[in-house]
Amino acid sequence: MAYNPQDHYFKMAKKEGYLARSAYKLDEIQKRWRVIRAGAKVLDLGCAPGSWSQVALKILGPKGFLRGIDLKPVDLSAAGLRANNAQFLVSDIFTTPKEQFIEAPYDVILSDMAPQTTGSAITDQTRSEELCMKVLELTDELLRPGGHVVMKLFMGGGAKQVELATKSRFQSHHLFRPKGVRKESFEIYLIGVNRRPN
Ligand SMILES: C[S@@+](CC[C@H](N)C(=O)[O-])C[C@H]1O[C@@H](n2cnc3c(N)ncnc32)[C@H](O)[C@@H]1O
């Protein structure tokens, strides 16, 4: 089937006031693993334009907290939202100073980060793997024991290594392809449940 930028999920996101169709991927992951709980502290990496933050904030309620970081700014008011318990930072995750991870340790780290695609599948997959390895490094420092991670990964030659690095840190892990992932995409999500203590 040809690529359709205005597919079913795009139309549904527009109708339901989500800033991106990606919202439904986190929604599906959440329904299965309940990674986010009311009142939790969440770090949302690669959060722009903000649909995962919207989904997370709905679950977190007023007692929860969300820190969002992306190379690009997030403007929740574009979706008619004002969230006092969310703070967004424009920053590259590879160079973000430690003190910017406010409210750490987190209960959940989400990463929907994706490299800018180059047209070379191998380059894109390698960059995606690097992003995931950085996220896992951050889980060592910023995720409480028993906490969960959700990260996007472009499947390629190094995917097994990322999976093994997740397995060593979490009591269980799952590879999952939500229905909302476009057919032509090679992305999947890695979910690490219950971080092992150091
Ligand atoms: C698919 S989008 C995320 C969509 C978002 N989860 C949502 O639901 O609105 C991927 C994002 O990853 C971000 N990103 C990629 N590399 C990054 C990096 N090194 N540091 C921070 N953000 C990064 C991009 O700027 C982009 O906004």
Side-chain angles (χ1 to χ4, degrees), residues 122-140:
I122 292 179
T123 305
D124 298 345
Q125 287 157 2
T126 305
R127 290 189 180 158
S128 168
E129 287 153 16
E130 285 164 2
L131 284 167
C132 287
M133 293 310 283
K134 179 65 190 174
V135 174
L136 288 173
E137 194 186 302
L138 290 175
T139 66
D140 293 340

Side-chain angles (χ1 to χ4, degrees), residues 175-186:
L175 287 166
F176 182 62
R177 191 173 158 92
K179 290 195 195 85
V181 172
R182 293 183 190 278
K183 287 205 172 49
E184 63 280 3
S185 167
F186 43 88

